[in-house]
Amino acid sequence: MSSYLYELPTTGAISFAEFCQDDTACYVSFIAEATESRANLRATLKESKRSDGEKDNLKLVKVLDEYLPKLCGILACVKSGDLTLKSEPIFSWRTTLSSSLFNASPRLSFPSLAAELAFTLLTYAFALSNLARAVVESLGSYEYERAISDAERKAKDERLAFAVALLCKSAGIFEHIAKEVMPAWDEARRRVALGGISCPNPPDLSREVLIGLSKLALADAQTLAIRKLLSRAAFDSTLTPGPPLPRSHPSPALAAKLHLECVAFYSSARALVKTPGASRPSPSLSKSRFKLSLGRGKESESGPQPDQVEGQDVVPELRRYLADETAYHNAMSHKWLGVDAGENGGTTQGGVAVGFLAWAKKELDDLKSGGLSHGAVAGIGITDREKDIREARRTVILAELGKVETFLKGYKRMNDTLNYQTVPPQSELQGSIPAGRAAIALKPYMRPTPDFGPGSVEHTRRIAEELDLAGKNDTTSATTGQTEGSYAGAGSYF
């Protein structure tokens, strides 16, 4: 399996000079450079939106790497007072995670620099995840190629590890937005609401959704880590499919635990991304807030409230992806628990092996025919991008189903002729399922050093020079005072 494919947002044009007041004229060129980098980001996103073929995710990552230090410079200067805001900045972004009636991503206007930072980092995390997906797709099914050499396989394993690292970084960025950027965004929403400025609140900027996306990235990364772990054994199994496992195969119990951790990640992410829809304001409340924004209603006792976005649900495509991935990894954990019982459990575990593998076969059969996403049966609300994801998943499921049937047939024959063990019911098997195990970890995100202003290398160097110069002046003054008072009667005038 590969990682989730995000729809990238687009954004409107903005000039930082329009709202940044530079009284000292020290930052004129830096403000212009920030505007230029922002324009490059906008152009790259528009180019990606118009492209029907393969997206240049690496180019987008490089453009974001160039823009973020400049945006951090603007934020640092405004915070320190080196720059003042002439007016509240308004940034236009298309919210790609917001569900709407016709599946069209709405473009909304967001006040404050905090919103700009949040959406820029969100786009960065999307781009890294999409880049990881592109890297994986370029590898093909290399572990099943019989003509591949050990050197070629190891090189592709390293590329797979690179994709895992990209997803772990993406997970860290999602978490950073939720924990470090959202407090500033919440404060900005309260401030501008008091000033009567409209301020949407889409699920894209929900803490729950952002933490859910972080867990999704970790689950996708863990999926790739499992693939890397089994790549050598997968190659050997193409020669001798079914039981017994080749000697190169890692512990099937470990494989089961790794899949169970994926289940935990995906199911947690699914619960979190469904939270904003569950807490959506009632229609009457939404109407009252709409009247407030037009000045045709009375303010509530708690003061003006930030506006909501019509349609607070996260796109169904993402929710379906999480549901299907949860079911798939559940099936895979049951497969490997069955294989572990068949390979390592001895004669007493023959029935357990058959039970787990029969359970896995049933789950894969259900996924093969459409999964948990019943909307796919009617084709309602299914995008072309989701169709591609589902088709790729179906290919993997069919391959896994064949392997499960091979193991089930082998262990069933062994149990029927040698072991004679009763096959336990699912309820009994459920009680023997162990806890999951993580093979990857989130990579905490640190914002880049500002290109200018407080915290930048240039600013730090200038402060150090000023302190050094002040220290030299103090030393000179002290030496001069000591020289003047070194003779008899110095300082006494008559």
Side-chain angles (χ1 to χ4, degrees), residues 36 94 142 144 154 168 176 239 260 302 323 357 360 363 380 394 425 455 467:
E36 181 183 0
R94 195 174 294 280
Y142 70 94
Y144 301 109
K154 289 178 180 178
C168 291
H176 178 85
L239 303 175
L260 286 167
S302 59
L357 285 162
E363 290 172 314
I380 299 174
R394 178 178 170 80
L467 291 173

Side-chain angles (χ1 to χ4, degrees), residues 5 111 353 380 385 461:
L5 179 62
I380 299 174
R385 186 177 64 255
R461 183 189 62 79

Side-chain angles (χ1 to χ4, degrees), residues 359-409:
W359 189 1
K361 181 181 181 302
K362 180 180 180 299
E363 290 172 314
L364 290 172
D365 277 329
D366 291 341
L367 281 170
K368 180 187 67 174
S369 58
L372 303 182
S373 310
H374 301 299
V377 176
I380 299 174
I382 305 297
T383 64
D384 290 339
R385 186 177 64 255
E386 184 175 3
K387 287 178 183 177
D388 293 340
I389 294 174
R390 294 181 65 80
E391 187 59 35
R393 181 188 290 112
R394 178 178 170 80
T395 301
V396 173
I397 287 170
L398 288 173
E400 287 297 338
L401 188 56
K403 297 172 188 175
V404 167
E405 289 173 344
T406 301
F407 276 108
L408 177 59
K409 183 179 178 180

Side-chain angles (χ1 to χ4, degrees), residues 209-220:
V209 171
L210 289 165
I211 294 297
L213 294 178
S214 179
K215 291 183 179 296
L216 163 58
L218 287 174
D220 286 343

Side-chain angles (χ1 to χ4, degrees), residues 310-353:
E310 188 175 342
Q312 287 285 303
D313 289 335
V314 171
V315 285
E317 175 187 327
L318 177 57
R319 301 200 304 272
R320 287 193 288 258
Y321 175 86
L322 292 169
D324 287 346
E325 289 299 308
T326 301
Y328 170 76
H329 285 281
N330 251 325
M332 294 304 296
S333 68
H334 298 153
K335 168 196 169 181
W336 289 117
L337 287 171
V339 172
D340 181 55
E343 295 288 310
N344 304 316
T347 58
T348 61
Q349 294 294 303
V352 173

Side-chain angles (χ1 to χ4, degrees), residues 17 34 82 104 135 247 262 264 286-288 293 308 322 339 357 369 375:
D82 290 1
V135 168
R247 293 189 176 215
C262 287
S286 298
K287 290 179 181 178
S288 67
S293 66
Q308 300 291 324
L322 292 169
V339 172
L357 285 162
S369 58

